[in-house]
Structures are given as structure tokens and as C-alpha cells.
Amino acid sequence: MRRRAATGRPPKLDDTQVEKVRAALEQGAQAHGFEADLWTLERVGAVVTRATGVVLSRASVWRLLTGRLGWSLQRPERRAVERDESEIARWIAHEWPRITKGP
């Protein structure tokens, strides 16, 4: 018994195009004119189109990122820039017990 070749539609991007996309993405989102240095599927799709001329759907962009490039979903930590850990610790140690005791 011989193995058959994989069936299904061939990928829209060949290996050299995928490497072009990888190099473009590693430059960061701001290098491509985006305000924040975060990648979204829409932004990656725009970069793919600029770099290769191939238009991909959001699902295809996801498959490209996770399957062929090996990237994973990363979410930024939602914390205020002004957060002061020492002030939070002081408040928990002094103010919180006063509030929970009541009158």
C-alpha cells in the first residue's frame, strides 16, 4: 500500500511568499504604518496583500499564522500604565481592614 498525496486545495502562498510575510511581520505593526504595535487578523491580511499580492480571508490568515508560521494567540495584559503596586499594597494593608470592620 502506497500513501496518497494530501488532497484538498493547494495553499495560496508558496514557501518563499510565507518567508516574505514572516519577515514583514517580524518588523512589527508600526513599521507598516499602524498606530499600535499589535497584530490583528485584518492587519496581517493587509500586510500579506502588500507583500505578496494575495488576498486572504480572515480564516486563511489565522491558518497561516498558527499553522505555517507557528504563531499563537497572545493577548495584552489589561493593566493601567499608572498602576502603583506599593500604593495598592498599602491600601490593602491599611484601608481595606478599616472598611471591612464597619462602624
Side-chain angles (χ1 to χ4, degrees), residues 22 25-26 37-41 44 61-76:
R22 180 190 308 272
L25 294 178
E26 287 175 351
D37 205 20
L38 297 173
W39 287 114
T40 63
L41 293 177
V44 173
V61 170
W62 178 255
R63 282 192 299 272
L64 170 69
L65 289 173
T66 58
R68 296 188 69 189
L69 294 177
W71 287 27
S72 62
L73 176 65
Q74 304 288 314
R75 292 206 170 131

Side-chain angles (χ1 to χ4, degrees), residues 55-101:
V55 178
L56 297 178
S57 68
R58 292 181 80 224
S60 295
V61 170
W62 178 255
R63 282 192 299 272
L64 170 69
L65 289 173
T66 58
R68 296 188 69 189
L69 294 177
W71 287 27
S72 62
L73 176 65
Q74 304 288 314
R75 292 206 170 131
E77 211 172 89
R78 302 242 180 226
R79 287 200 171 170
V81 175
E82 303 86 6
R83 185 177 171 103
D84 183 1
E85 295 296 332
S86 62
E87 180 61 24
I88 293 170
R90 186 203 63 78
W91 188 88
I92 290 172
H94 300 293
E95 300 297 323
W96 181 246
R98 182 181 60 78
I99 294 170
T100 56
K101 285 182 187 175

Side-chain angles (χ1 to χ4, degrees), residues 20-35 37 39 43 46-48 50-51:
K20 268 188 193 177
V21 171
R22 180 190 308 272
L25 294 178
E26 287 175 351
Q27 293 173 358
Q30 289 179 329
H32 293 282
F34 298 109
E35 193 173 309
D37 205 20
W39 287 114
R43 288 180 177 187
V47 171
V48 169
R50 275 189 240 143

